[in-house]
Amino acid sequence: MFSSIPKLQTFALTSIAVALLTACGGGGGGGGSSASSVLSGMVIDGYIEGAKVCLDVNSNGVCDAGEPTATTDSAGKYQLSPGSIDTTGLNVIAEISDSAKDSDDGGLTLLAAGKSAYTMASPASESAVVTPITTLIVGKVKTDNLSTATAKARVLEELGLPSDTNPYADHVAAGNTMVHGAARQLAAQLQQAQKDLPVGTTPQERLTKLHDAIKAMQDAAGSIALESQDANPLNMPLTLSSVATGRLFAYKMPSAMGKQINASAMLFTPKSVMPPGGWPLVVFGHGTVGVAKDCAPSVTMKATGNWGYAGVVAQLISQGYVVVAPDYEGLGSTAMGVDAGHPYLDLGSAGRSMALAAVGAKKLMTTQLSGAWATLGHSQGGHAALAGAQFAGLAKKQEASLTYKGAVAIAPASNLKASLNAMWSGIQTNSQNPVNYTTGYEAVGISNFYAAYVVKGTQSTPSSVTPSTVFGPRMLAVYNAKVASECFTEFSTSISNDVGTYAVTNGATPAAYTGVINSAINTTYIAGVLNSNEPGQMKLPGNTLLVQGAADTTVLPSSTQTLLTTMQSKGSQVTLSLHSGNTATHGGVLGIPAAQTAITNHLIAIFANEPKEKKTLFSSGFVFD
């Protein structure tokens, strides 16, 4: 997939991360047990100005006349005076109209920012913050009849957050980009759910129906929406069809924007005899294909009979694994009910796509799968493999028989901000001498290519980045004309052509190409978006193997080394398999025998107790093209 395309494409957008948040410390504060003289705190997604806040004395989920009420200031702060009211078991309610302002939106009202009204809540005993996360906790207490402590644990698990995260702390002030990212996506879900409430819903019914709607969406996650009845749903190449049967299905998942959507996945089952107890499952994450719906592997393989990762998946099948390969959110066919909008390198979206694909596969195959599963992916898929590990708890909640074992992340996208800064430094250096212009222009093309997919991807999330703030006139024109419709090879060629046209103009230098504006990448907002999607920012379950080629110019070896150090600092069980030589490139590392052996041994180790034949993975080798 990568070896046959222009050199431009060998920089992997490895990073963006959207790691939705490291554990937050600090206490809850502010609350009230029985009679309290004052309840104070903040309403936060970003800080919400103009929210109506009240103590819900009659527990009907709305701010009624006569209840202690306040309006939040520009810092999202409120203060209530309950007087002699016993606050035990009561909630604080925040009614946020579309005229309120969220500090995430730069002073715009919700309406001007394309958002809508919603309601949030927090236990009065934990009134220091009212956030989308505390709202979900309150909802689970009500809809699932859970204790607050159990509801909190369930919510953190579903959001892919560390178990020691304090949801009652100010995540904005603490700089917890993981929590902030999770809160943004959950706020979008609350807004969407409120917009979708039945006509005639009264204010007193609103919060209860919001909780019920979100519970219904969560309960449906991973369920089968439909399965293709096409006689040849995948049009597999011989490499795959000789060892596996293939199916195409769609499963339900919450989108990054809070809607319930269909996501499609390919399911490959060995033609060999099923072992006692069923096959183990590998969830495979593909590399960058583009952001247009029809760039999905299931769509392109159906149309062409080819897939660059067919050899990798065939070898996994030959090893005795069932493989499910999600297209990811927003990639797939209309026939499978997939809507456009791919949140490229969004950690939450990628994690749910992977984890819920495992749930869907188990629901389809039932006892044919043992329940043991792992994630494996390359480039964008390496990022997805780590994100899937982060959401393994969600998979377990939706399908109790699933047991997560570990991950293989090959050249995983990570540390994008640092990579873009390093590339810009190199572009400047290579602009000093015409002898080095070619190298400089290659970096220009690579950085603009991946930055374009990242920026376009944010348009399908609550953390949208404005393209004109990131790109100068030349690249902005290419972006506007091509990014939404062209897949990997075509889009990289479009950028290469524009950079090439510019390069032959009088006085041109790589640094003067009006593409990525490096200073924009380092602004607080954009840096926060990138950092919130970084993988490995919490202790991951299972055992993880990172595989990296030293000659990789797409996902830089330094980025993976930083990822390793970060994961170790969080307590994850992780090792790095680093490979040198001219062939240890972004795609080439997959063909290195030592790398193949490392992957083989890791999978055998994590599935050690599974009843399956142990053969040598990649024993016949494969070509990654």
Side-chain angles (χ1 to χ4, degrees):
M1 171 175 273
F2 287 87
S3 60
S4 63
I5 59 180
K7 188 173 182 180
L8 154 60
Q9 297 145 11
T10 51
F11 162 60
L13 213 197
T14 112
S15 187
I16 308 186
V18 171
L20 271 102
L21 157 101
T22 70
C24 158
S33 48
S34 49
S36 175
S37 59
V38 66
L39 291 175
S40 61
M42 289 174 286
V43 178
I44 310 174
D45 174 13
Y47 299 120
I48 306 291
E49 176 184 358
K52 183 179 182 180
V53 183
C54 69
L55 177 65
D56 189 14
V57 178
N58 58 6
S59 299
N60 68 347
V62 68
C63 292
D64 292 314
E67 291 180 330
T69 303
T71 301
T72 55
D73 64 15
S74 60
K77 294 180 179 179
Y78 73 89
Q79 191 171 67
L80 301 174
S81 299
S84 61
I85 298 171
D86 186 350
T87 62
T88 303
L90 299 182
N91 294 320
V92 172
I93 302 295
E95 297 178 343
I96 304 162
S97 70
D98 60 14
S99 63
K101 297 178 180 179
D102 186 329
S103 63
D104 284 344
D105 301 325
L108 297 175
T109 65
L110 266 63
L111 182 62
K115 299 179 179 179
S116 59
Y118 61 114
T119 301
M120 298 199 297
S122 189
S125 59
E126 297 285 2
S127 61
V129 297
V130 183
T131 75
I133 298 173
T134 65
T135 305
L136 198 56
I137 293 171
V138 168
K140 283 199 175 298
V141 170
K142 182 176 179 64
T143 61
D144 294 0
N145 195 28
L146 302 174
S147 68
T148 299
T150 301
K152 169 192 165 184
R154 292 272 181 89
V155 167
L156 296 179
E157 186 176 70
E158 290 173 7
L159 296 177
L161 296 176
S163 60
D164 61 352
T165 297
N166 180 3
Y168 304 113
D170 181 352
H171 57 265
V172 178
N176 282 318
T177 56
M178 274 183 74
V179 169
H180 200 164
R184 281 176 178 158
Q185 293 196 352
L186 193 51
Q189 191 174 46
L190 289 167
Q191 291 162 26
Q192 186 64 45
Q194 188 154 317
K195 282 197 297 186
D196 291 343
L197 288 178
V199 175
T201 299
T202 66
Q204 291 76 19
E205 297 172 322
R206 182 173 57 217
L207 191 57
T208 295
K209 289 193 174 182
L210 275 177
H211 291 322
D212 289 343
I214 290 173
K215 174 177 167 53
M217 183 186 298
Q218 291 171 332
D219 288 348
S223 63
I224 303 303
L226 70 152
E227 182 176 1
S228 174
Q229 299 304 305
D230 191 319
N232 183 20
L234 298 178
N235 192 23
M236 294 184 291
L238 183 61
T239 309
L240 268 175
S241 63
S242 62
V243 296
T245 58
R247 302 164 73 175
L248 177 65
F249 70 96
Y251 55 97
K252 296 292 185 182
M253 69 171 279
S255 75
M257 291 297 285
K259 300 180 180 180
Q260 182 166 275
I261 61 168
N262 283 6
S264 55
M266 302 178 289
L267 182 61
F268 305 98
T269 305
K271 288 185 173 180
S272 57
V273 176
M274 183 184 75
W279 283 290
L281 175 70
V282 172
V283 183
F284 178 79
H286 64 78
T288 302
V289 294
V291 296
K293 225 163 70 87
D294 289 345
C295 298
S298 68
V299 176
T300 57
M301 185 163 68
K302 175 66 174 176
T304 67
N306 294 310
W307 186 29
Y309 288 104
V312 181
V313 173
Q315 292 293 344
L316 289 168
I317 296 294
S318 296
Q319 170 70 7
Y321 302 107
V322 167
V323 176
V324 63
D327 287 320
Y328 308 145
E329 176 183 341
L331 300 178
S333 69
T334 301
M336 298 307 292
V338 175
D339 293 327
H342 174 49
Y344 183 69
L345 289 183
D346 180 276
L347 190 76
S349 174
R352 291 182 181 93
S353 293
M354 297 286 280
L356 295 175
V359 174
K362 179 63 174 173
K363 288 184 180 299
L364 278 177
M365 298 189 66
T366 62
T367 57
Q368 291 179 289
L369 292 180
S370 69
W373 69 290
T375 55
L376 183 151
H378 174 249
S379 194
Q380 181 186 1
H383 175 275
L386 298 175
Q390 191 164 322
F391 282 83
L394 173 62
K396 185 74 170 179
K397 174 185 173 293
Q398 300 303 108
E399 181 56 61
S401 63
L402 288 174
T403 301
Y404 183 75
K405 296 294 187 176
V408 177
I410 307 163
S414 68
N415 296 291
L416 181 62
K417 184 168 91 63
S419 295
L420 290 174
N421 282 330
M423 295 191 74
W424 174 242
S425 178
I427 290 167
Q428 290 179 302
T429 298
N430 288 316
S431 294
Q432 303 304 309
N433 188 331
V435 173
N436 300 320
Y437 279 8
T438 298
T439 300
Y441 282 125
E442 288 175 354
V444 167
I446 292 167
S447 61
N448 280 277
F449 175 83
Y450 284 106
Y453 276 160
V454 170
V455 171
K456 182 60 179 175
T458 68
Q459 312 306 308
S460 298
T461 77
S463 303
S464 178
V465 172
T466 303
S468 60
T469 65
V470 177
F471 302 113
R474 289 196 74 101
M475 183 57 206
L476 186 61
V478 177
Y479 175 96
N480 287 335
K482 306 290 188 179
V483 71
S485 59
E486 292 188 340
C487 298
F488 193 101
T489 302
E490 294 76 19
F491 187 54
S492 63
T493 300
S494 292
I495 295 175
S496 295
N497 289 342
D498 190 71
V499 172
T501 299
Y502 165 79
V504 297
T505 62
N506 188 39
T509 68
Y513 178 81
T514 55
V516 174
I517 302 168
N518 190 251
S519 59
I521 300 299
N522 295 286
T523 59
T524 300
Y525 179 76
I526 295 177
V529 172
L530 298 180
N531 291 338
S532 69
N533 289 296
E534 283 292 332
Q537 299 297 306
M538 60 175 278
K539 182 179 180 180
L540 298 181
N543 189 344
T544 299
L545 174 69
L546 304 178
V547 179
Q548 179 65 45
D552 193 336
T553 57
T554 300
V555 173
L556 304 179
S558 59
S559 293
T560 301
Q561 183 62 55
T562 298
L563 174 62
L564 172 69
T565 301
T566 298
M567 291 180 67
Q568 290 172 333
S569 73
K570 301 298 180 183
S572 295
Q573 185 179 357
V574 56
T575 55
L576 171 64
S577 180
L578 181 64
H579 304 275
S580 59
N582 294 336
T583 61
T585 59
H586 190 58
V589 70
L590 288 162
I592 294 176
Q596 296 173 354
T597 298
I599 295 169
T600 298
N601 291 340
H602 184 74
L603 291 173
I604 289 174
I606 63 176
F607 287 118
N609 297 320
E610 291 303 300
K612 54 183 284 298
E613 184 182 359
K614 307 301 185 209
K615 296 186 289 185
T616 302
L617 183 61
F618 307 134
S619 57
S620 61
F622 65 91
V623 176
F624 180 70
D625 57 5

